[in-house]
Amino acid sequence: MKKTVLSLTLAASVLALGACSGGDSKTIATSKAGDISVADFNEKAKTLAGSHVIQQMLTEKVLADKYKVTDKEIKEAYDNYEAQFGDNFDQALVQYGLTKEGFKESLRVQLLSDKALKEKAFKEEDIKKYYEQMKTELNARHILVADEKTAKEVIDKIKGGAAFADVAKEYSTDTGSAAKGGELGWFSAGAMVEEFSDAAYALPLNTLSEPVKSSFGYHIIEVTDKRDVKGVGSFKDEEENIRSQMMAKLVNTGEDQQVLKDIIAKMAKEADIKTSDKDLEPAIKALTTTSEEQAKAAEEAAKKAEEKAAKENKDKEEKAEDTEKESK
């Protein structure tokens, strides 16, 4: 709960910065050390958090253009937090620098984000693939290694006559299953990482897979048994449940925020956002840039840096050669 409140704190705080209005020369704070005018405050607020404010406001506009959040939904979310914190709710708001209205506004943005994530995080074909997989449970074993070379070595050993269990105990970095000869037991859709599940469900019985790469390393998989799952309804009946399960997994792995950022980036790009304030251009560029585009830009920057370093080294070598020739 604390993590969720913290994630909303900045949202509420930066929105609150835009609340100061009035004539630029109007004084909003006085002290013996000096006064602060609206203009002073707004300028400082822009300097300190202007990029966050513009991103938050644009995010809200882009999301609200497609999704709707009712006052009832906001009240339900607000009441839920209030009930969980109990008598400490008001103190918690103060602790995180939130007003009640500011918190409600941040909840609105959060609810809008949730709706966008739920609709756009998964493709229709991914939902249908999950549905097809959930009709069957698999019993499988695997060997996990760090690199593809070792994975191929493992495959060669097993194909050469070595027992799968013995090779698993010798090579597998998944210590839990290695001790059991690589046995994973029965599992169903969503239990394993996507790459593993896709490979396992596509395998014929008692067939060794090629190396399957995942975030954990390289898997060699063998499915030893299959059985039908009883009680699975039609796709229409199961779709909402599937989406909820996939969303829960996305949240549990911490991938939801990156997926949401990419969704918002694409929506913001489609909205054709522009600004006349050059100071805010970097913030808008960041808002409309996907993780894939960021990775590509980083790769290009690294390549340019490498080329520059190579050129500088070459220039130094040539200069050293010229100096050597002149000394002779």
Side-chain angles (χ1 to χ4, degrees):
M1 178 52 56
K2 184 175 288 188
K3 181 181 178 182
T4 305
V5 173
L6 284 170
S7 70
L8 296 176
T9 301
L10 178 61
S13 299
V14 297
L15 283 171
L17 286 174
C20 185
S21 59
D24 286 352
S25 60
K26 182 181 177 181
T27 299
I28 60 170
T30 62
S31 75
K32 292 179 180 179
D35 299 340
I36 296 176
S37 68
V38 170
D40 293 334
F41 176 85
N42 288 340
E43 183 61 33
K44 181 62 70 173
K46 178 184 172 184
T47 301
L48 293 175
S51 60
H52 295 295
V53 174
I54 195 67
Q55 287 181 348
Q56 183 71 18
M57 293 177 74
L58 287 170
T59 294
E60 182 179 2
K61 285 187 177 295
V62 166
L63 291 174
D65 187 54
K66 182 169 178 59
Y67 305 99
K68 303 301 176 188
V69 171
T70 65
D71 291 342
K72 181 181 177 182
E73 288 174 307
I74 295 173
K75 185 177 185 307
E76 286 176 353
Y78 183 90
D79 289 347
N80 183 47
Y81 278 108
E82 188 173 29
Q84 291 186 56
F85 276 90
D87 295 337
N88 296 321
F89 182 63
D90 289 341
Q91 183 180 345
L93 289 177
V94 173
Q95 180 182 348
Y96 293 117
L98 299 168
T99 64
K100 290 184 177 181
E101 289 307 311
F103 186 52
K104 287 179 181 178
E105 184 60 33
S106 67
L107 282 173
R108 180 171 183 271
V109 177
Q110 185 67 56
L111 291 170
L112 285 168
S113 298
D114 289 345
K115 291 189 177 188
L117 190 62
K118 189 172 184 179
E119 180 183 318
K120 293 180 175 290
F122 311 108
K123 297 177 182 177
E124 189 70 14
E125 55 262 37
D126 293 331
I127 307 292
K128 289 180 177 177
K129 180 180 69 177
Y130 191 105
Y131 173 70
E132 291 303 319
Q133 290 181 356
M134 70 185 288
K135 295 178 184 179
T136 307
E137 285 184 326
L138 305 180
N139 196 325
R141 53 187 182 177
H142 85 139
I143 298 170
L144 177 65
V145 294
D147 55 77
E148 189 174 13
K149 182 181 177 183
T150 307
K152 289 181 177 179
E153 182 181 327
V154 165
I155 291 172
D156 289 341
K157 276 205 167 192
I158 296 172
K159 287 183 175 180
F164 191 104
D166 293 339
V167 178
K169 291 174 182 177
E170 180 183 355
Y171 280 88
S172 187
T173 59
D174 178 4
T175 54
S177 66
K180 297 180 286 186
E183 295 292 340
L184 296 168
W186 289 97
F187 62 88
S188 56
M192 304 296 183
V193 292
E194 186 177 4
E195 300 89 346
F196 187 102
S197 284
D198 289 350
Y201 274 94
L203 272 177
L205 279 176
N206 303 311
T207 302
L208 212 60
S209 74
E210 291 299 314
V212 177
K213 185 180 180 182
S214 78
S215 58
F216 295 100
Y218 288 81
H219 308 261
I220 298 90
I221 308 166
E222 183 180 22
V223 177
T224 55
D225 202 358
K226 297 182 180 183
R227 66 188 180 194
D228 294 335
V229 177
K230 297 178 181 179
V232 177
S234 66
F235 177 74
K236 184 178 180 181
D237 292 336
E238 299 288 351
E239 183 177 4
E240 188 64 27
N241 181 46
I242 292 171
R243 285 184 181 276
S244 296
Q245 289 185 48
M246 293 175 71
M247 183 62 68
K249 188 172 183 179
L250 199 66
V251 172
N252 289 337
T253 58
E255 298 175 69
D256 57 319
Q257 291 307 305
Q258 186 59 62
V259 172
L260 177 62
K261 185 198 179 306
D262 286 345
I263 290 171
I264 292 173
K266 291 173 183 176
M267 293 178 69
K269 198 185 294 286
E270 291 171 0
D272 192 26
I273 297 169
K274 293 181 174 63
T275 179
S276 58
D277 192 325
K278 290 185 177 180
D279 292 337
L280 297 177
E281 285 179 355
I284 291 176
K285 183 178 180 181
L287 180 68
T288 56
T289 302
T290 65
S291 56
E292 184 179 346
E293 290 169 337
Q294 285 179 331
K296 186 177 179 181
E299 185 179 338
E300 290 176 353
K303 184 178 179 181
K304 286 182 180 179
E306 187 178 336
E307 290 174 349
K308 182 181 178 182
K311 185 178 183 303
E312 289 175 349
N313 287 334
K314 184 178 179 182
D315 290 343
K316 286 180 181 179
E317 289 174 0
E318 290 176 351
K319 186 176 181 180
E321 288 176 2
D322 291 341
T323 301
E324 187 178 350
K325 288 179 181 178
E326 289 175 1
S327 64
K328 292 179 179 180

